Each structure stands twice: as structure tokens, then as C-alpha cells.
Coordinates of all heavy atoms in Angstrom, one line a residue:
R1023 N -64.3 50.6 -93.6 CA -65.3 50.1 -92.7 C -65.9 51.1 -91.8 O -67.0 51.1 -91.5 CB -64.6 49.0 -91.9 CG -64.4 47.7 -92.6 CD -63.8 46.7 -91.7 NE -64.3 46.7 -90.4 CZ -64.2 45.7 -89.5 NH1 -63.7 44.6 -89.9 NH2 -64.7 45.8 -88.3
R1024 N -65.1 51.9 -91.2 CA -65.5 52.9 -90.1 C -65.4 54.3 -90.6 O -65.5 55.2 -89.8 CB -64.7 52.7 -88.8 CG -64.7 51.3 -88.2 CD -66.1 50.8 -87.8 NE -66.7 51.5 -86.8 CZ -66.7 51.1 -85.5 NH1 -66.1 50.1 -85.1 NH2 -67.4 51.8 -84.6
G1025 N -65.1 54.6 -91.9 CA -65.0 55.9 -92.4 C -63.6 56.5 -92.3 O -63.4 57.7 -92.5
Q1026 N -62.6 55.7 -91.9 CA -61.3 56.2 -91.6 C -60.5 56.7 -92.8 O -59.5 57.4 -92.6 CB -60.4 55.2 -90.8 CG -60.1 53.9 -91.6 CD -61.1 52.8 -91.3 OE1 -62.3 53.0 -91.2 NE2 -60.6 51.6 -91.2
L1027 N -61.0 56.5 -94.0 CA -60.4 57.1 -95.2 C -60.7 58.5 -95.4 O -60.0 59.2 -96.1 CB -60.7 56.2 -96.4 CG -60.2 54.8 -96.4 CD1 -60.7 54.0 -97.6 CD2 -58.7 54.7 -96.2
G1028 N -61.8 59.0 -94.9 CA -62.2 60.4 -95.0 C -62.8 60.8 -96.3 O -62.8 62.0 -96.7
H1029 N -63.3 59.8 -97.1 CA -63.9 60.2 -98.4 C -65.4 60.3 -98.4 O -66.0 60.5 -99.5 CB -63.5 59.1 -99.4 CG -62.0 58.9 -99.6 ND1 -61.2 59.9 -100.1 CD2 -61.2 57.9 -99.3 CE1 -60.0 59.5 -100.1 NE2 -59.9 58.3 -99.6
G1030 N -66.0 60.3 -97.3 CA -67.4 60.5 -97.2 C -68.3 59.2 -97.4 O -69.5 59.3 -97.5
T1031 N -67.6 58.1 -97.4 CA -68.3 56.8 -97.5 C -67.7 55.8 -96.5 O -66.6 56.1 -95.9 CB -68.2 56.2 -98.9 OG1 -66.8 55.8 -99.1 CG2 -68.6 57.1 -100.0
F1032 N -68.3 54.7 -96.3 CA -67.8 53.7 -95.4 C -67.3 52.5 -96.2 O -67.2 51.4 -95.6 CB -68.9 53.3 -94.4 CG -69.3 54.4 -93.5 CD1 -70.3 55.3 -93.7 CD2 -68.5 54.6 -92.3 CE1 -70.6 56.3 -92.9 CE2 -68.8 55.7 -91.5 CZ -69.9 56.5 -91.7
T1033 N -66.9 52.7 -97.4 CA -66.4 51.6 -98.2 C -64.9 51.7 -98.4 O -64.3 52.8 -98.3 CB -67.0 51.6 -99.7 OG1 -66.7 52.9 -100.3 CG2 -68.5 51.4 -99.5
S1034 N -64.2 50.6 -98.7 CA -62.8 50.6 -98.9 C -62.4 51.1 -100.3 O -63.2 51.1 -101.2 CB -62.3 49.1 -98.7 OG -62.5 48.7 -97.4
K1035 N -61.2 51.5 -100.4 CA -60.7 51.9 -101.7 C -59.4 51.1 -102.0 O -58.7 50.7 -101.1 CB -60.2 53.4 -101.7 CG -61.3 54.4 -101.4 CD -62.2 54.7 -102.6 CE -63.2 55.8 -102.3 NZ -64.1 56.0 -103.3
Q1036 N -59.3 50.8 -103.3 CA -58.1 49.9 -103.7 C -56.8 50.7 -103.7 O -55.8 50.2 -103.4 CB -58.4 49.3 -105.0 CG -57.3 48.3 -105.5 CD -57.7 47.6 -106.7 OE1 -58.7 47.8 -107.3 NE2 -56.8 46.7 -107.2
F1037 N -56.9 52.0 -104.0 CA -55.7 52.9 -104.1 C -55.9 54.1 -103.3 O -57.1 54.6 -103.1 CB -55.5 53.3 -105.6 CG -55.3 52.1 -106.5 CD1 -56.3 51.7 -107.3 CD2 -54.1 51.4 -106.5 CE1 -56.1 50.6 -108.2 CE2 -53.9 50.3 -107.3 CZ -54.9 49.9 -108.2
P1038 N -54.8 54.8 -102.9 CA -55.0 56.0 -102.1 C -55.6 57.1 -102.9 O -55.5 57.2 -104.1 CB -53.5 56.4 -101.8 CG -52.7 55.2 -102.0 CD -53.4 54.4 -103.0
H1039 N -56.4 57.9 -102.3 CA -57.1 59.1 -102.9 C -57.0 60.3 -102.0 O -56.9 60.1 -100.7 CB -58.6 58.8 -103.0 CG -58.9 57.7 -104.0 ND1 -59.1 57.9 -105.3 CD2 -59.1 56.4 -103.8 CE1 -59.3 56.8 -105.9 NE2 -59.3 55.8 -105.1
R1040 N -56.9 61.4 -102.5 CA -56.8 62.7 -101.7 C -58.2 62.9 -101.0 O -59.2 62.6 -101.6 CB -56.6 63.9 -102.7 CG -56.5 65.2 -102.0 CD -56.2 66.3 -102.9 NE -54.8 66.1 -103.3 CZ -54.1 67.0 -103.9 NH1 -54.6 68.2 -104.1 NH2 -52.9 66.8 -104.2
V1041 N -58.1 63.4 -99.8 CA -59.3 63.7 -99.0 C -59.8 65.1 -99.6 O -59.2 66.1 -99.3 CB -59.0 63.7 -97.5 CG1 -60.3 64.1 -96.8 CG2 -58.5 62.4 -97.0
K1042 N -60.8 65.1 -100.4 CA -61.3 66.2 -101.1 C -61.8 67.4 -100.2 O -61.8 68.5 -100.5 CB -62.4 65.8 -102.1 CG -61.9 65.0 -103.2 CD -63.0 64.6 -104.1 CE -62.4 63.6 -105.2 NZ -63.5 63.2 -106.1
V1043 N -62.3 67.0 -99.0 CA -62.9 68.0 -98.1 C -61.9 69.1 -97.9 O -62.3 70.3 -97.8 CB -63.3 67.4 -96.8 CG1 -63.7 68.4 -95.7 CG2 -64.5 66.4 -97.0
F1044 N -60.7 68.8 -97.6 CA -59.7 69.9 -97.4 C -59.4 70.8 -98.6 O -59.4 72.0 -98.4 CB -58.4 69.3 -96.9 CG -58.5 68.6 -95.6 CD1 -58.3 67.2 -95.5 CD2 -58.8 69.3 -94.4 CE1 -58.5 66.5 -94.3 CE2 -58.9 68.6 -93.2 CZ -58.7 67.3 -93.1
K1045 N -59.3 70.2 -99.7 CA -59.1 71.0 -100.9 C -60.3 71.9 -101.2 O -60.2 73.1 -101.5 CB -58.8 70.2 -102.1 CG -58.4 70.9 -103.3 CD -57.9 70.1 -104.5 CE -57.5 70.9 -105.6 NZ -56.9 70.2 -106.7
E1046 N -61.5 71.3 -101.1 CA -62.7 72.0 -101.4 C -63.0 73.2 -100.5 O -63.6 74.2 -100.9 CB -63.9 71.0 -101.4 CG -63.9 70.0 -102.5 CD -64.9 68.9 -102.4 OE1 -65.6 68.8 -101.3 OE2 -65.1 68.1 -103.3
S1047 N -62.5 73.0 -99.2 CA -62.8 74.1 -98.3 C -61.6 75.1 -98.1 O -61.6 76.0 -97.4 CB -63.1 73.5 -96.9 OG -62.0 72.7 -96.4
G1048 N -60.5 74.8 -98.9 CA -59.4 75.7 -98.9 C -58.5 75.5 -97.7 O -57.6 76.3 -97.4
L1049 N -58.7 74.4 -96.9 CA -57.8 74.1 -95.8 C -56.5 73.5 -96.2 O -56.5 72.5 -97.0 CB -58.5 73.2 -94.8 CG -59.7 73.8 -94.1 CD1 -60.5 72.8 -93.4 CD2 -59.3 74.9 -93.1
R1050 N -55.4 73.9 -95.7 CA -54.1 73.4 -96.0 C -53.7 72.5 -94.8 O -53.6 72.9 -93.7 CB -53.1 74.5 -96.2 CG -53.4 75.3 -97.5 CD -52.4 76.4 -97.8 NE -51.0 75.9 -97.7 CZ -50.1 76.6 -97.0 NH1 -50.3 77.7 -96.5 NH2 -48.8 76.1 -97.0
V1051 N -53.4 71.2 -95.1 CA -53.0 70.2 -94.1 C -51.5 70.2 -93.9 O -50.7 70.1 -94.8 CB -53.5 68.8 -94.5 CG1 -53.1 67.8 -93.5 CG2 -55.1 68.8 -94.6
R1052 N -51.1 70.3 -92.6 CA -49.7 70.3 -92.2 C -49.3 68.9 -91.9 O -48.2 68.5 -92.3 CB -49.5 71.2 -91.0 CG -48.1 71.1 -90.4 CD -48.0 71.9 -89.1 NE -48.2 73.3 -89.4 CZ -47.3 74.2 -89.4 NH1 -46.1 73.9 -89.2 NH2 -47.6 75.5 -89.6
Q1053 N -50.1 68.1 -91.3 CA -49.7 66.8 -90.7 C -50.9 65.9 -90.7 O -52.0 66.3 -90.4 CB -49.1 66.9 -89.4 CG -48.6 65.6 -88.8 CD -48.1 65.9 -87.3 OE1 -48.5 66.8 -86.7 NE2 -47.3 65.0 -86.9
V1054 N -50.7 64.6 -91.0 CA -51.8 63.6 -90.9 C -51.3 62.4 -90.0 O -50.1 62.0 -90.1 CB -52.2 63.1 -92.3 CG1 -53.2 61.9 -92.2 CG2 -52.7 64.2 -93.1
A1055 N -52.2 61.9 -89.2 CA -51.9 60.7 -88.4 C -53.0 59.7 -88.6 O -54.1 60.0 -88.6 CB -51.8 61.0 -86.9
C1056 N -52.6 58.5 -89.0 CA -53.5 57.4 -89.3 C -53.3 56.2 -88.4 O -52.2 55.9 -88.0 CB -53.3 56.9 -90.7 SG -53.5 58.3 -92.0
A1057 N -54.5 55.6 -88.0 CA -54.5 54.4 -87.2 C -55.4 53.4 -87.9 O -55.9 53.7 -89.0 CB -54.9 54.7 -85.8
S1058 N -55.6 52.3 -87.2 CA -56.4 51.3 -87.9 C -57.9 51.7 -88.2 O -58.4 51.4 -89.2 CB -56.5 50.0 -86.9 OG -55.2 49.5 -86.8
Y1059 N -58.5 52.5 -87.2 CA -59.9 52.8 -87.4 C -60.2 54.3 -87.4 O -61.3 54.7 -87.4 CB -60.7 52.1 -86.3 CG -60.7 50.6 -86.4 CD1 -59.9 49.9 -85.5 CD2 -61.4 50.0 -87.4 CE1 -59.9 48.5 -85.6 CE2 -61.3 48.6 -87.5 CZ -60.6 47.8 -86.6 OH -60.6 46.5 -86.7
A1060 N -59.2 55.1 -87.3 CA -59.4 56.6 -87.3 C -58.2 57.3 -87.8 O -57.1 56.8 -87.9 CB -59.7 57.0 -85.9
S1061 N -58.4 58.5 -88.3 CA -57.4 59.4 -88.8 C -57.6 60.8 -88.2 O -58.7 61.2 -87.8 CB -57.4 59.4 -90.3 OG -57.2 58.1 -90.8
A1062 N -56.5 61.6 -88.2 CA -56.5 62.9 -87.8 C -55.6 63.8 -88.7 O -54.7 63.3 -89.2 CB -56.0 63.1 -86.3
A1063 N -56.0 65.1 -88.8 CA -55.2 66.0 -89.6 C -55.1 67.3 -88.9 O -56.0 67.8 -88.2 CB -55.9 66.2 -91.0
L1064 N -53.9 67.9 -89.0 CA -53.6 69.2 -88.4 C -53.5 70.2 -89.6 O -52.7 69.9 -90.5 CB -52.3 69.1 -87.6 CG -51.8 70.4 -87.0 CD1 -52.7 71.0 -86.0 CD2 -50.4 70.2 -86.5
T1065 N -54.2 71.2 -89.5 CA -54.1 72.3 -90.6 C -53.0 73.3 -90.2 O -52.6 73.4 -89.1 CB -55.5 73.0 -90.8 OG1 -55.9 73.6 -89.6 CG2 -56.5 72.0 -91.2
F1066 N -52.6 74.1 -91.2 CA -51.6 75.1 -91.0 C -52.1 76.1 -90.0 O -51.2 76.8 -89.4 CB -51.2 75.7 -92.3 CG -50.1 74.9 -92.9 CD1 -50.4 73.9 -93.8 CD2 -48.7 75.2 -92.7 CE1 -49.4 73.2 -94.4 CE2 -47.7 74.5 -93.3 CZ -48.0 73.5 -94.2
D1067 N -53.4 76.3 -89.8 CA -53.8 77.3 -88.8 C -54.0 76.7 -87.4 O -54.6 77.3 -86.5 CB -55.1 78.0 -89.3 CG -56.3 77.0 -89.4 OD1 -56.1 75.8 -89.3 OD2 -57.4 77.5 -89.7
G1068 N -53.6 75.4 -87.2 CA -53.6 74.8 -85.9 C -54.8 74.1 -85.5 O -55.0 73.8 -84.3
K1069 N -55.7 73.9 -86.4 CA -57.0 73.2 -86.1 C -56.8 71.7 -86.4 O -56.1 71.3 -87.2 CB -58.2 73.7 -87.0 CG -58.4 75.2 -86.8 CD -58.7 75.6 -85.4 CE -58.9 77.1 -85.3 NZ -58.7 77.6 -84.0
V1070 N -57.5 70.9 -85.5 CA -57.5 69.4 -85.6 C -58.8 68.9 -86.1 O -59.9 69.2 -85.6 CB -57.1 68.8 -84.3 CG1 -57.1 67.2 -84.4 CG2 -55.7 69.3 -83.8
Y1071 N -58.7 68.0 -87.2 CA -59.9 67.4 -87.7 C -59.7 65.9 -87.6 O -58.6 65.4 -87.7 CB -60.0 67.7 -89.2 CG -60.4 69.1 -89.5 CD1 -59.4 70.1 -89.4 CD2 -61.7 69.5 -89.8 CE1 -59.8 71.5 -89.7 CE2 -62.0 70.8 -90.1 CZ -61.1 71.8 -90.0 OH -61.4 73.1 -90.2
T1072 N -60.8 65.2 -87.2 CA -60.7 63.7 -87.1 C -61.8 63.1 -87.9 O -62.8 63.7 -88.2 CB -60.8 63.3 -85.6 OG1 -62.0 63.7 -85.1 CG2 -59.6 63.8 -84.8
W1073 N -61.6 61.8 -88.2 CA -62.7 61.0 -88.9 C -62.4 59.5 -88.7 O -61.3 59.1 -88.4 CB -62.8 61.4 -90.4 CG -61.5 61.1 -91.2 CD1 -61.2 60.1 -92.0 CD2 -60.4 62.0 -91.3 NE1 -60.0 60.2 -92.6 CE2 -59.4 61.4 -92.2 CE3 -60.1 63.3 -90.8 CZ2 -58.2 62.0 -92.5 CZ3 -58.9 63.9 -91.1 CH2 -58.0 63.3 -92.0
G1074 N -63.4 58.7 -88.8 CA -63.3 57.3 -88.6 C -64.2 56.8 -87.5 O -65.3 57.2 -87.4
M1075 N -63.7 55.8 -86.7 CA -64.5 55.2 -85.6 C -64.8 56.2 -84.5 O -63.9 56.8 -83.9 CB -63.7 54.0 -85.1 CG -64.5 53.2 -84.1 SD -63.7 51.6 -83.7 CE -62.3 52.2 -82.8
G1076 N -66.1 56.4 -84.3 CA -66.6 57.4 -83.4 C -65.9 57.5 -82.0 O -65.6 58.5 -81.5
E1077 N -65.7 56.3 -81.4 CA -65.2 56.3 -80.0 C -63.7 56.8 -79.9 O -63.3 57.1 -78.8 CB -65.3 54.9 -79.4 CG -64.5 53.9 -80.1 CD -64.9 52.5 -79.7 OE1 -65.9 52.0 -80.3 OE2 -64.3 51.9 -78.8
T1078 N -63.0 57.0 -81.0 CA -61.6 57.4 -81.0 C -61.4 58.8 -81.5 O -60.2 59.2 -81.6 CB -60.8 56.4 -81.8 OG1 -61.2 56.5 -83.2 CG2 -60.9 55.0 -81.4
L1079 N -62.4 59.5 -81.8 CA -62.3 60.7 -82.5 C -62.1 62.0 -81.6 O -61.8 63.0 -82.2 CB -63.5 61.0 -83.4 CG -63.7 60.0 -84.5 CD1 -64.9 60.3 -85.3 CD2 -62.4 59.8 -85.4
G1080 N -62.4 61.9 -80.3 CA -62.3 63.1 -79.5 C -63.5 64.0 -79.8 O -63.4 65.2 -79.5
Q1081 N -64.6 63.5 -80.3 CA -65.8 64.3 -80.6 C -66.9 64.1 -79.6 O -68.0 64.6 -79.8 CB -66.3 63.8 -82.0 CG -65.3 64.0 -83.1 CD -65.2 65.5 -83.6 OE1 -65.9 66.4 -83.1 NE2 -64.3 65.7 -84.5
G1082 N -66.6 63.4 -78.5 CA -67.6 63.2 -77.4 C -68.7 62.2 -77.8 O -69.8 62.3 -77.3
V1083 N -68.4 61.2 -78.6 CA -69.3 60.2 -78.9 C -69.0 58.9 -78.1 O -67.9 58.7 -77.6 CB -69.3 59.9 -80.4 CG1 -69.8 61.1 -81.2 CG2 -68.0 59.4 -80.9
Y1084 N -69.9 58.0 -78.1 CA -69.8 56.8 -77.3 C -69.6 55.6 -78.2 O -69.8 55.6 -79.4 CB -71.0 56.6 -76.4 CG -71.2 57.7 -75.5 CD1 -72.0 58.8 -75.8 CD2 -70.4 57.8 -74.3 CE1 -72.2 59.9 -74.9 CE2 -70.5 58.9 -73.5 CZ -71.4 59.9 -73.8 OH -71.5 61.0 -73.0
V1085 N -69.2 54.5 -77.6 CA -68.9 53.2 -78.4 C -70.1 52.9 -79.3 O -71.3 52.9 -78.9 CB -68.7 52.1 -77.4 CG1 -68.5 50.8 -78.2 CG2 -67.4 52.4 -76.6
G1086 N -69.8 52.7 -80.6 CA -70.8 52.3 -81.5 C -71.6 53.5 -82.2 O -72.3 53.3 -83.1
D1087 N -71.4 54.7 -81.6 CA -72.1 55.8 -82.2 C -71.1 56.8 -82.8 O -69.9 56.8 -82.4 CB -72.8 56.6 -81.1 CG -74.0 55.9 -80.5 OD1 -74.5 55.0 -81.2 OD2 -74.3 56.2 -79.3
G1088 N -71.5 57.5 -83.8 CA -70.7 58.6 -84.2 C -69.6 58.3 -85.2 O -68.7 59.2 -85.4
D1089 N -69.6 57.1 -85.9 CA -68.6 56.9 -86.9 C -68.7 58.0 -87.9 O -69.8 58.4 -88.3 CB -68.7 55.6 -87.6 CG -68.3 54.4 -86.7 OD1 -67.9 54.7 -85.5 OD2 -68.4 53.3 -87.1
C1090 N -67.6 58.6 -88.4 CA -67.6 59.7 -89.2 C -66.8 59.5 -90.5 O -65.6 59.2 -90.3 CB -67.1 61.0 -88.5 SG -67.3 62.5 -89.4
S1091 N -67.4 59.7 -91.7 CA -66.6 59.4 -92.9 C -66.0 60.6 -93.5 O -65.4 60.5 -94.6 CB -67.6 58.7 -93.9 OG -68.6 59.5 -94.3
K1092 N -66.2 61.7 -92.9 CA -65.6 63.0 -93.4 C -64.8 63.7 -92.3 O -65.3 63.6 -91.1 CB -66.6 63.9 -94.0 CG -67.2 63.5 -95.3 CD -68.2 64.5 -95.8 CE -68.7 64.1 -97.1 NZ -69.6 65.2 -97.7
P1093 N -63.7 64.4 -92.6 CA -63.0 65.1 -91.5 C -64.0 66.1 -90.8 O -64.7 66.8 -91.5 CB -61.9 65.8 -92.3 CG -61.7 65.0 -93.5 CD -63.0 64.4 -93.9
T1094 N -63.9 66.1 -89.5 CA -64.8 67.0 -88.7 C -63.9 67.7 -87.7 O -63.0 67.1 -87.0 CB -65.8 66.1 -87.9 OG1 -66.5 65.3 -88.9 CG2 -66.7 66.9 -87.1
L1095 N -64.1 69.0 -87.6 CA -63.3 69.8 -86.6 C -63.6 69.4 -85.2 O -64.8 69.2 -84.8 CB -63.6 71.3 -86.8 CG -63.0 72.3 -85.9 CD1 -61.5 72.3 -86.2 CD2 -63.6 73.7 -86.2
I1096 N -62.6 69.2 -84.4 CA -62.8 69.0 -82.9 C -63.1 70.3 -82.3 O -62.2 71.1 -82.1 CB -61.6 68.3 -82.3 CG1 -61.3 66.9 -83.0 CG2 -61.8 68.1 -80.8 CD1 -60.1 66.2 -82.4
S1097 N -64.3 70.5 -82.0 CA -64.8 71.8 -81.5 C -64.3 72.1 -80.1 O -64.1 73.3 -79.8 CB -66.4 71.8 -81.4 OG -66.8 70.8 -80.6
S1098 N -63.9 71.1 -79.3 CA -63.4 71.4 -77.9 C -62.0 72.0 -78.0 O -61.5 72.6 -77.0 CB -63.4 70.2 -77.1 OG -62.6 69.2 -77.6
L1099 N -61.3 71.9 -79.2 CA -60.0 72.5 -79.3 C -60.0 73.7 -80.2 O -58.9 74.3 -80.5 CB -59.1 71.4 -80.0 CG -58.9 70.1 -79.2 CD1 -58.0 69.2 -80.1 CD2 -58.2 70.4 -77.9
I1100 N -61.1 74.3 -80.5 CA -61.2 75.4 -81.5 C -60.5 76.6 -81.0 O -60.0 77.4 -81.8 CB -62.6 75.6 -81.9 CG1 -62.6 76.4 -83.2 CG2 -63.4 76.4 -80.8 CD1 -64.0 76.3 -83.9
T1101 N -60.4 76.8 -79.7 CA -59.8 78.0 -79.1 C -58.3 77.8 -78.9 O -57.6 78.7 -78.5 CB -60.4 78.4 -77.8 OG1 -60.3 77.4 -76.9 CG2 -61.9 78.8 -78.0
H1102 N -57.8 76.7 -79.2 CA -56.3 76.4 -79.1 C -55.7 76.2 -80.5 O -56.3 75.7 -81.4 CB -56.2 75.1 -78.3 CG -56.8 75.1 -77.0 ND1 -56.3 75.7 -75.9 CD2 -58.0 74.5 -76.5 CE1 -57.1 75.6 -74.8 NE2 -58.1 74.8 -75.2
R1103 N -54.5 76.6 -80.6 CA -53.7 76.4 -81.8 C -52.8 75.2 -81.5 O -51.8 75.3 -80.8 CB -52.8 77.6 -82.1 CG -52.1 77.4 -83.4 CD -51.3 78.7 -83.8 NE -50.5 78.4 -84.9 CZ -50.8 78.7 -86.1 NH1 -51.9 79.3 -86.4 NH2 -49.9 78.5 -87.1
M1104 N -53.1 74.0 -82.1 CA -52.4 72.8 -81.9 C -51.1 72.8 -82.8 O -51.1 73.5 -83.9 CB -53.2 71.6 -82.2 CG -54.5 71.6 -81.4 SD -54.4 71.8 -79.6 CE -53.6 70.3 -79.2
C1105 N -50.1 72.1 -82.4 CA -48.9 72.0 -83.3 C -48.5 70.6 -83.7 O -47.6 70.5 -84.6 CB -47.7 72.7 -82.5 SG -47.3 71.8 -81.0
Q1106 N -49.2 69.6 -83.2 CA -48.9 68.2 -83.7 C -50.0 67.3 -83.4 O -50.8 67.5 -82.4 CB -47.6 67.7 -83.0 CG -47.1 66.4 -83.5 CD -45.8 66.0 -82.8 OE1 -45.2 66.8 -82.0 NE2 -45.3 64.9 -83.2
V1107 N -50.2 66.3 -84.3 CA -51.1 65.2 -84.0 C -50.3 63.9 -84.1 O -49.4 63.8 -84.8 CB -52.3 65.2 -85.0 CG1 -53.2 66.4 -84.8 CG2 -51.9 65.1 -86.5
S1108 N -50.8 62.9 -83.4 CA -50.2 61.6 -83.5 C -51.1 60.5 -83.1 O -52.2 60.7 -82.6 CB -49.0 61.5 -82.6 OG -49.3 61.6 -81.2

């Protein structure tokens, strides 16, 4: 519904699928955290990517704006090496 699966669409899937963006870009994911309307991934290089409902992503968007169906790097954390998402 809100893009929280990370497949580039806003439609539901019947079965789990790999999020292709990470494989296609050569990013290796260390950890994933999923909630009802948003998801986050931590890569081995300490970067955090989020996708799903805009107001929960840490991307500086407001209620009703910015739903994202593909993992997006949180630019405000780019100078930090994160070690966990939850």
C-alpha cells in the first residue's frame, strides 16, 4: 500500500521477494527492520536506507507526502557510520 516492500511499486505481493535495488547496486545488507508501513536496511558500510510511508522514513517529508517504493539513502546520516536499525 505505501511502498514498504521496496519493490518499486505500491502493490502487494503474495510471496516474499528479494529487494533488487540492493543487488543491482552492489550494496550488501547487514540488517533489515520492518514495520507496518515502512522498512529500513543497514548496509555493511554503515549506510541506512528507508522505504515505505513518507512520514516515517527520516527523509524530511510530511504526512501524506513522500511515500517511497524503493530504498532511499537517508542523506542526513551519510557522514555517520551506523551500526544498527530497529
Side-chain angles (χ1 to χ4, degrees):
R1023 283 178 40 159
R1024 305 298 295 264
Q1026 65 266 38
L1027 297 179
H1029 299 297
T1031 68
F1032 293 95
T1033 58
S1034 295
K1035 299 280 186 186
Q1036 187 173 0
F1037 300 102
H1039 295 271
R1040 180 178 291 199
V1041 177
K1042 294 179 183 178
V1043 169
F1044 294 113
K1045 185 174 184 175
E1046 291 170 354
S1047 62
L1049 293 168
R1050 293 180 49 225
V1051 176
R1052 173 186 297 255
Q1053 182 183 22
V1054 174
C1056 301
S1058 296
Y1059 296 106
S1061 302
L1064 174 68
T1065 60
F1066 273 87
D1067 64 353
K1069 303 299 181 207
V1070 177
Y1071 292 77
T1072 59
W1073 59 97
M1075 186 169 67
E1077 62 194 86
T1078 64
L1079 299 179
Q1081 300 284 357
V1083 298
Y1084 300 97
V1085 177
D1087 292 337
D1089 287 1
C1090 184
S1091 63
K1092 289 186 178 181
T1094 304
L1095 179 65
I1096 298 182
S1097 59
S1098 61
L1099 298 177
I1100 202 163
T1101 59
H1102 303 283
R1103 184 179 171 95
M1104 307 309 292
C1105 60
Q1106 186 173 358
V1107 292
S1108 63

